[in-house]
């Protein structure tokens, strides 16, 4: 666990956790903890048993905000996209008047990204750190949305050139992940709406107005993923249409080839009959004449089909 005193964006390490129980003269304490640290933190900060249970749970947590007497418990989802799969990682936050505790199971980039912003903005209160942390978290959804949009565009271009079965699997996988993300964004918007509209004594009134911008961004992200869902449906239709067109092209070529060989098969069938007299049968060059005629006939039919753009 890392403990820091944050005053005007300047970080000062703290060795004794007991110091964090008393409000500092200036600034606030940031405790960046792991799940194992909750055993020590719970009695010190009077963390509710249900909040600890939610943090420890192996199941995926729904974004929410719980208001307790001395602190707020907030669960939000951090997003990560590695071009193959989208991950949501729970960010558990305990907000007090003079402290903020962040608890995670895995490393979350937003905790690293918020540090230079705290220094740049000269942050000295826990609620303002909460604002900047959530702002970065929502902005990362926009970054992931841009990468998903680029991936959809690439899929669309590839489908135009040549549709493959692998494209269908990719479309189905990406569409299910987009639906999963959209479902997870709904409760996250509810949390931001509470931070924006509800009278919260641990958050300054002036600061709550800024949460409105974050909420509006979250709404935009949700609408963007709704658009992506429709686009994935269009991509699937494009894939099926491309496959159908390719099948039609193949059948058209096979039909043309079969049509070309039909008169040739008729000629060979006639000259394969068991009659005493068939034209050119007694002629020394009769076979060459018939073969040449068949070649000319086949070439002529091929030329006509090509001219009409049938093959």
């Amino acid at each position: 666990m890392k403990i820091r005193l944050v005053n005007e964006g300047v970080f000062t390490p703290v060795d004794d956790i007991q110091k964090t129980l008393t409000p500092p003269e200036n600034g606030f304490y940031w405790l960046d903890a792991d799940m194992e640290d909750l055993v020590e933190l719970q009695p010190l900060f009077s963390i509710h048993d249900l909040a600890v249970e939610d943090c420890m749970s192996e199941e995926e947590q729904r974004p929410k905000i719980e208001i307790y007497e001395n602190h707020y418990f907030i669960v939000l989802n951090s997003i990560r996209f590695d071009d193959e799969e989208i991950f949501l990682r729970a960010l558990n936050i305990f907000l007090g008047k003079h402290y903020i505790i962040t608890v995670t199971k895995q490393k979350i980039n937003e905790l690293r990204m918020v540090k230079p912003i705290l220094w740049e903005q000269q942050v000295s209160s826990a609620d303002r750190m909460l604002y900047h942390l959530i702002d970065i978290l929502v902005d990362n959804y926009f970054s992931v949305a841009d990468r998903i949009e680029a991936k959809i565009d690439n899929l669309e271009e590839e489908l135009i050139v040549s549709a493959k079965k692998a494209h269908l699997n990719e479309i189905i996988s990406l569409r299910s992940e987009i639906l999963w993300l959209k479902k997870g964004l709904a409760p996250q918007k509810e949390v931001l709406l509470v931070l924006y509209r509800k009278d919260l004594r641990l958050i300054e009134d002036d600061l709550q107005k800024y949460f409105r911008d974050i909420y509006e961004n979250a709404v935009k992200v949700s609408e963007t993923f709704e658009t992506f869902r429709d686009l994935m449906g269009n991509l699937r239709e494009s894939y099926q249409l491309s496959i159908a067109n390719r099948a039609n092209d193949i059948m058209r070529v096979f039909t043309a080839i079969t049509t070309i060989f039909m008169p040739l098969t008729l000629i060979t069938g006639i000259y394969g009959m068991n009659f005493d007299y068939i034209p050119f049968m007694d002629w020394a060059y009769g076979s060459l004449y018939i073969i040449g005629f068949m070649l000319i006939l086949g070439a002529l039919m091929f030329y006509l089909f090509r001219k009409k753009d049938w093959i």
Side-chain angles (χ1 to χ4, degrees), residues 47-183:
I47 298 175
H48 199 280
D49 291 340
L50 292 176
V52 174
E53 183 180 341
D54 288 340
C55 290
M56 294 289 191
S57 176
E58 295 295 331
E59 298 180 359
E60 182 179 332
Q61 289 300 307
R62 175 187 173 92
K64 63 180 180 179
I65 178 170
E66 299 287 350
I67 299 175
Y68 298 107
E69 183 177 355
N70 297 320
H71 65 272
Y72 303 154
F73 173 52
I74 303 170
V75 180
L76 296 170
N77 283 327
S78 167
I79 191 170
R80 179 182 173 186
F81 185 34
D82 64 357
D83 293 332
E84 295 294 335
E85 190 174 356
I86 300 173
F87 299 94
L88 289 181
R89 293 179 173 176
L91 173 59
N92 305 288
I93 303 171
F94 296 92
L95 177 70
K97 192 63 178 177
H98 70 280
Y99 66 86
I100 184 170
I101 303 173
T102 55
V103 184
T104 58
K105 293 181 180 178
Q106 303 98 359
K107 290 183 178 180
I108 291 181
N109 291 333
E110 285 82 356
L111 295 177
R112 174 181 54 82
M113 297 168 63
V114 76
K115 294 178 184 178
I117 295 178
L118 297 180
W119 179 82
E120 181 182 346
Q121 298 294 326
Q122 298 182 347
V123 174
S124 297
S125 63
D127 55 350
R128 288 194 175 273
M129 176 180 169
L130 175 69
Y131 162 73
H132 289 295
L133 184 57
I134 296 177
D135 187 38
I136 294 172
L137 187 144
V138 174
D139 283 345
N140 281 343
Y141 276 84
F142 281 107
S143 300
V144 171
D146 290 340
R147 295 175 63 184
I148 292 176
E149 185 176 10
K151 192 168 185 177
I152 292 174
D153 291 339
N154 291 335
L155 269 173
E156 187 175 10
E157 292 176 1
E158 291 175 4
L159 286 176
I160 293 174
V161 175
S162 176
K164 300 177 182 178
K165 188 175 181 180
H167 290 145
L168 178 60
N169 296 333
E170 195 171 353
I171 290 170
I172 294 174
S173 176
L174 188 57
R175 184 176 185 273
S176 61
E177 289 186 344
I178 289 173
L179 290 174
W180 172 61
L181 272 179
K182 185 178 179 299
K183 183 179 179 181

Side-chain angles (χ1 to χ4, degrees), residues 260 264 288-303:
I260 291 173
L264 308 184
L288 296 178
Y289 174 82
I290 295 300
I291 292 174
F293 176 74
M294 292 169 63
L295 291 175
I296 293 172
L297 181 59
L300 180 61
M301 293 183 68
F302 179 80
Y303 170 76

Side-chain angles (χ1 to χ4, degrees), residues 232-247:
M232 296 310 296
N234 294 338
L235 279 183
R236 188 165 184 175
E237 292 177 1
S238 298
Y239 169 83
Q240 294 172 341
L241 182 61
S242 178
I243 293 297
N245 288 338
R246 183 190 296 177

Side-chain angles (χ1 to χ4, degrees), residues 182 185 189 218-228:
K182 185 178 179 299
L185 280 172
K189 288 192 299 181
V219 172
K220 291 178 183 177
V221 171
S222 181
E223 292 173 350
T224 299
F225 281 104
E226 179 70 29
T227 303
F228 287 163

